[in-house]
Amino acid sequence: MSAAPRPAADLADSLPERIRGVGTSQIGLVADRGRDDPDVVKLWIGEGDLPTPDIVVEAAHRAMLAGETRYTYSRGIPRLHEALSDYHRRHWGVEVAPERFAITAGGMNAIMQACQALLDTGDEVIIPSPNWPNLAEAVRVTGGTPVTVPYRRSADGRFSLPISDIEAAITPRTRILVVNSPSNPTGWVMPLAEMEALRDLARARDLWIISDEVYAHFTYGNAIAPSFLQICTPSDRLIVTNTFSKNWAMTGWRAGWLVYPQGLAGTFGKLGQYNTTSIPTFIQHAAVAALEEGDSFIRTMVGRCAESRTIMMEGLSRLKGVTVFAPEGAFYLMARVDTGETSLDLAFRLLREAKVGVAPGTAFGPEGEGFIRICFAVSPALAREAVARLTRVLGER
């Protein structure tokens, strides 16, 4: 007679600690309550409201009709590597050899592969906080231990990250320093001089840097954000992760890339093989079109974000109990809201009473308590509507 199956709770308890310890996304908790409500202004997730540009969609269609629907190289098609090399030369003036790129299933898979390549069980990874929660959870899934270093705040609300604070957090178990600039959710942009100081610290301590540069074009001072590729050599312990999602409204396409040091093509070829085999071949041809023909779309996206940023900054600053800090980059506002509620409870209330979906600050770590994050990668009209709805619920000063 066979034994009865174990209860589901017992099965969950039997999983490895690194999986049991993975947190639940508070952004998802809020979004799942209003995801299917057409009346909700959805500002919780890092996604613009423009459709993918026609040049990308048409390139995918042409590739499918041409039979580009089969397996391909695990690191991606050579033509896409060449297009990425040209893209980095055009925007940052750097020479990155085509063989240093691996194509991934979005920026998240790029981060996961970086962690898989670098971490042993118990290795520590230093991450500034508040931070995109997926960074720390990728570390946990791959057996590492995230160590947060809080951003500092100046009197005018600007975020900063002294290199001395990072250095103080380093222990014998530290393996990786993570930088996300421009930052989700803070909007902080790391100055080039500080990047050089962090590079020198990593070299001195034999540490790796993972630089998440997905929002590089989204800055509001007429200059692209600097890249670690501008100050590092091909032999530095640097991995840069990026995605097609933000620049070209391709969040659902799941296409990204990473740049690794010279000599690791074999390593990332194997990781690509065992993670995804490869991302769809026709999507890679669409990504080539985005890189080669999509610069004007990026300018449209950034200009639109800049206008909606201004609308939300001006509108939210008039609300009772709300303090707004101007983000230097990315497309999020971190607004402090003093209502006596937790940020999660406030997010649920705004969803219920204002029909506006925001992300609770604690989704990005305990340092985010008292804040909400609002994505302003939406049309100016939608930004005005969101402000009007929030005004009706929170009231003006």
Side-chain angles (χ1 to χ4, degrees):
M1 185 175 180
S2 63
R6 298 179 66 179
D10 289 348
L11 290 175
D13 289 342
S14 72
L15 298 177
E17 172 57 32
R18 71 178 189 280
I19 302 301
R20 285 186 284 125
V22 172
T24 299
S25 168
Q26 290 188 6
I27 305 172
L29 288 177
V30 179
D32 286 346
R33 291 201 184 179
R35 195 183 301 273
D36 297 325
D37 187 342
D39 295 328
V40 171
V41 177
K42 300 174 175 66
L43 308 177
W44 41 43
I45 293 173
E47 183 173 52
D49 63 347
L50 286 176
T52 305
D54 289 345
I55 55 171
V56 176
V57 175
E58 291 165 1
H61 188 210
R62 287 195 302 271
M64 283 188 279
L65 293 176
E68 298 289 356
T69 56
R70 305 178 70 83
Y71 292 132
T72 188
Y73 304 97
S74 60
R75 285 195 308 108
I77 61 174
R79 186 181 171 200
L80 183 48
H81 297 160
E82 293 284 353
L84 280 166
S85 184
D86 291 343
Y87 169 81
H88 284 79
R89 184 183 305 113
R90 186 166 70 248
H91 289 290
W92 287 276
V94 296
E95 294 293 334
V96 184
E99 61 268 21
R100 291 180 59 201
F101 292 100
I103 309 307
T104 61
M108 185 63 240
N109 183 235
I111 290 166
M112 190 67 76
Q113 287 195 34
C115 291
Q116 290 168 344
L118 301 182
L119 289 176
D120 277 327
T121 301
D123 284 348
E124 293 179 353
V125 179
I126 293 176
I127 306 174
S129 184
N131 58 73
W132 181 44
N134 296 38
L135 294 170
E137 300 310 331
V139 170
R140 289 192 180 94
V141 167
T142 51
T145 301
V147 176
T148 57
V149 173
Y151 288 101
R152 296 197 184 190
R153 302 295 297 274
S154 61
D156 65 358
R158 294 170 68 89
F159 290 90
S160 64
L161 184 67
I163 301 302
S164 58
D165 288 0
I166 296 175
E167 186 169 15
I170 295 173
T171 75
R173 296 293 301 175
T174 303
R175 175 74 166 164
I176 301 171
L177 312 175
V178 172
V179 175
N180 171 213
S181 173
S183 163
N184 170 16
T186 66
W188 166 80
V189 177
M190 192 175 206
L192 189 61
E194 292 182 15
M195 296 172 93
E196 291 172 335
L198 191 69
R199 174 206 61 193
D200 293 345
L201 176 61
R203 286 174 175 174
R205 300 293 190 94
D206 290 329
L207 300 175
W208 284 82
I209 294 173
I210 295 178
S211 180
D212 177 1
E213 301 183 1
V214 304
Y215 298 100
H217 287 285
F218 292 88
T219 59
Y220 305 102
N222 299 318
I224 192 170
S227 168
F228 273 95
L229 293 168
Q230 295 171 282
I231 60 168
C232 290
T233 72
S235 59
D236 271 308
R237 298 185 181 197
L238 169 70
I239 293 178
V240 174
T241 60
N242 216 316
T243 183
F244 290 88
S245 294
K246 313 299 181 179
N247 293 344
W248 299 283
M250 293 175 66
T251 51
W253 294 67
R254 309 315 306 135
W257 73 90
L258 57 79
V259 186
Y260 47 77
Q262 197 74 41
L264 293 187
T267 297
F268 283 95
K270 288 182 282 189
L271 287 173
Q273 178 68 38
Y274 301 132
N275 272 273
T276 60
T277 303
S278 70
I279 73 164
T281 309
F282 57 88
I283 288 179
Q284 296 190 52
H285 285 275
V288 170
L291 292 165
E292 293 182 345
E293 304 174 59
D295 282 2
S296 62
F297 184 82
I298 295 174
R299 290 191 292 271
T300 297
M301 281 277 288
V302 174
R304 205 164 175 261
C305 285
E307 186 176 353
S308 293
R309 170 181 176 267
T310 298
I311 291 167
M312 288 193 170
M313 284 285 301
E314 293 176 350
L316 295 179
S317 66
R318 294 193 293 266
L319 301 188
K320 192 181 302 179
V322 177
T323 307
V324 186
F325 308 102
E328 301 170 75
F331 44 59
Y332 309 101
L333 287 176
M334 280 288 278
R336 178 178 287 283
V337 186
D338 298 317
T339 63
E341 302 162 276
T342 68
S343 62
L344 182 58
D345 286 342
L346 175 61
F348 282 136
R349 183 163 71 90
L350 294 177
L351 176 61
R352 185 174 62 251
E353 297 179 9
K355 290 284 189 176
V356 175
V358 302
T362 45
F364 309 96
E367 295 84 1
E369 184 58 275
F371 291 83
I372 57 173
R373 189 201 71 174
I374 296 174
C375 174
F376 56 81
V378 295
S379 70
L382 199 59
R384 291 188 187 92
E385 176 63 22
V387 168
R389 293 184 184 196
L390 292 172
T391 301
R392 288 194 291 270
V393 171
L394 296 176
E396 293 190 321
R397 297 179 191 276

